[in-house]
Amino acid sequence: MAANKKLVFLPGDGIGPEVMRQVSRVIEWYDRRRIASFDVAEGMVGGCSIDKYGTPLTDETMAQAAGADAVLLGAVGGPKWDNLPFAQKPERGLLRLRKDMDLFANLRPALVFKPLIGASTLKPEVIDGLDIIIVRELTGGVYFGEPRGITTLPDGSRRGVNTQVYTTGEIRRVARVGFELAKKRQGRLCSVEKANVMESGVLWREEVQKLHDEEFRDIALIHMYADNCAMQLVRNPKQFDVIVTDNLFGDLLSDCAAMLTGSLGMLPSASLGAADSSGRRKALYEPVHGSAPDIAGKDAANPLASILSFAMMLRYSFDMDEEAKLLEAAVVRALETGVRTGDILQPQTQRVSTTAMGDTVLQQLDKLA
Ligand code: NAD
C-alpha cells in the first residue's frame, strides 16, 4: 500500500455536508480494506466560513488546500448570504481556491449509466454507452480578458465590452491535458474554437495542431467549430472521446453534454493545475451541482456526484484507475438495485435517502471487492 495521501475536505453549505458525509464513508471503506489511506483535514468554505470567520475562505484554509495532494469540495452558497456584496459572497471562496491554485483545466465527464438511460431527454440509442469528457480552459479567455466594462457614449447610449484573449502558453497547457487524457482513453481529441470568425480561434487551432505534431502524433486530432460541436453533441455524441475548448465555449458545451446524461445529481468534475517536476498537479474535485437549499437538511440529496468526484480524484490525482473503476462499478450496481434519490426517481424504482444511497454503494463495494 502506498503512503498516506493528504486530502483537504471542504463540505461547504446546504447539501454539501450531507453528500460529503457519504464520501467520508467511502474513504473509510478504502482505508479499512487497506486499498488506500488518506490523511483528511477538514476545513470551511463559503457561507459557513463567513458565519464563523467573516470571510468565505481563510488564509489558513487556502494554505492547507494549496499544500494538499487533492481538495474535495461539496457546494457553497444559499439564500442566507444572497444579499452580501459580490466580493463577500460564498462563491468568492470557491473562486479564490481556483485562482490561487491556478486550476486552469476543468474536466467534466458525461457518462451515461445504463440504469439511468431513461433520465435523458435524448433517445436511448443515441446515448447508450456514452462516455465523453470535456476539458474546459478555466482561468483565461473572455471571462477575464481586458478591456472589459460598460461605458456611456457621448450620445448617451451605452457600450458593453469583453475581450477574448489567449496566449500560446495558456492554449498549450490546457491542450496538453486534453492530449494526455485522450492517451489514457480512446486516443481521440477534438479541439473546439471558432477559427472561422475569431483570431483567438485561429491561434488556438494553430497551437493545438503544433503541440500535436511535436509531441502527440499518436493521438487522432480533429478541429471543430464550436457551433457545429454543439449540434454534434446532441446529434451523435458518441463520436467524441475527449473535447478540449476555451472558457466560454467550454461553459456552454459542458452543460449541454452534462444534460445528455439527464441528472445534475450524478455529475462529477475535476479542476487541475500545472504538473510539478514530480508530475503532481494541484487539484480540486467537486460535484457540478450547487448547495440545493430547497432540499438541504432533509437527507434527500443525491450523493453520487460527490462519490464519483472522489473516483475522479483516485484516477487523476493518484493514478488509481482500478480503484476508481471499482467505485464507479459499485455506483452502477447500486442503481441496478433500483434505489433512487428524488432527483433520479423513475417508475418502478424505490425512493431512498442520501444515507441509504451511501449504504447501498458501500454494500456493492463489499460485494465487488
Ligand atoms: P443547485 O444545483 O443547487 O440546485 C438546482 C436544482 O437541482 C434544485 O432543485 C436542487 O434541489 C437540485 N439538486 C442539485 N443537486 C442535487 C442533488 N445532489 N440531489 C438532488 N437534487 C439536487 O443550483 P441553484 O438552485 O441554482 O443554486 C443554489 C445555490 O447553490 C446558490 O447559492 C448557488 O450560488 C449555489 N451554487 C453553488 C455551486 C458550487 O458550489 N459549485 C454551483 C452552482 C450553484
Side-chain angles (χ1 to χ4, degrees), residues 15 19 73-78 82 91 94 98 264-265 286-295 300-302 343:
I15 61 169
V19 293
L73 187 136
V76 297
D82 272 354
E91 289 75 7
L94 183 50
R98 288 178 182 157
L264 198 55
E286 56 178 325
V288 168
H289 63 71
S291 60
D294 51 332
I295 56 166
N302 186 346
D343 58 314

Side-chain angles (χ1 to χ4, degrees), residues 277-341:
S277 53
S278 66
R280 177 179 162 267
R281 292 177 185 278
K282 289 202 186 342
L284 170 77
Y285 298 86
E286 56 178 325
V288 168
H289 63 71
S291 60
D294 51 332
I295 56 166
K298 296 182 177 159
D299 198 23
N302 186 346
L304 296 179
S306 296
I307 290 175
L308 292 167
S309 298
F310 176 71
M312 286 189 86
M313 187 203 79
L314 292 173
R315 178 171 290 125
Y316 297 119
S317 279
F318 303 120
D319 236 348
M320 296 172 68
D321 200 47
E322 288 310 309
E323 293 77 2
K325 279 186 184 146
L326 175 71
L327 185 50
E328 286 159 354
V331 166
V332 175
R333 292 280 186 92
L335 293 169
E336 279 168 358
T337 69
V339 297
R340 300 283 189 275
T341 42

Side-chain angles (χ1 to χ4, degrees), residues 34-229:
R34 300 181 176 278
I35 298 174
S37 284
F38 300 94
D39 290 334
V40 183
E42 192 161 326
M44 285 191 177
V45 64
C48 58
S49 177
I50 294 174
D51 289 351
K52 181 143 191 206
Y53 303 112
T55 170
L57 188 72
T58 62
D59 292 343
E60 291 73 26
T61 308
M62 183 62 241
Q64 224 175 6
D69 291 323
V71 180
L72 273 162
L73 187 136
V76 297
K80 183 176 176 190
W81 306 282
D82 272 354
N83 294 325
L84 288 175
F86 188 68
Q88 293 163 27
K89 277 185 185 295
E91 289 75 7
R92 298 301 291 183
L94 183 50
L95 292 179
R96 181 173 176 204
L97 279 167
R98 288 178 182 157
K99 188 168 172 285
D100 286 13
M101 293 202 287
D102 201 11
L103 304 175
F104 62 84
N106 183 228
L107 275 54
R108 295 256 304 252
L111 188 65
V112 169
F113 294 100
K114 242 190 182 27
L116 293 184
I117 213 161
S120 174
T121 49
L122 270 73
K123 290 182 192 139
E125 61 268 29
V126 176
I127 52 150
D128 188 10
L130 180 74
D131 177 5
I132 65 178
I133 190 157
I134 298 197
V135 182
R136 165 190 171 192
E137 200 291 325
L138 201 58
T139 53
V142 74
Y143 294 163
F144 296 95
E146 298 282 348
R148 61 186 298 159
I150 300 174
T151 51
T152 301
L153 298 175
D155 69 357
S157 63
R158 297 199 302 158
R159 181 169 179 265
V161 177
N162 290 92
T163 304
Q164 167 82 335
V165 53
Y166 273 108
T167 61
T168 303
E170 286 173 320
I171 298 168
R172 284 175 71 97
R173 67 180 184 172
V174 74
R176 181 180 299 283
V177 172
F179 281 120
E180 281 169 0
L181 266 179
K183 209 173 202 168
K184 290 188 177 168
R185 292 169 48 99
Q186 297 165 34
R188 296 183 293 118
L189 180 69
C190 175
S191 170
V192 172
E193 26 58 17
K194 274 186 72 76
N196 50 343
V197 286
M198 297 167 75
E199 283 77 7
S200 58
V202 173
L203 183 74
W204 184 283
R205 183 174 287 222
E206 288 175 359
E207 290 300 328
V208 174
Q209 185 64 51
K210 228 191 270 174
L211 184 62
H212 170 268
D213 297 348
E214 286 165 11
E215 294 181 39
F216 295 100
R217 283 190 167 278
D218 49 335
I219 302 295
L221 170 69
I222 62 163
H223 302 277
M224 195 177 273
Y225 297 139
D227 47 343
N228 184 27
C229 183

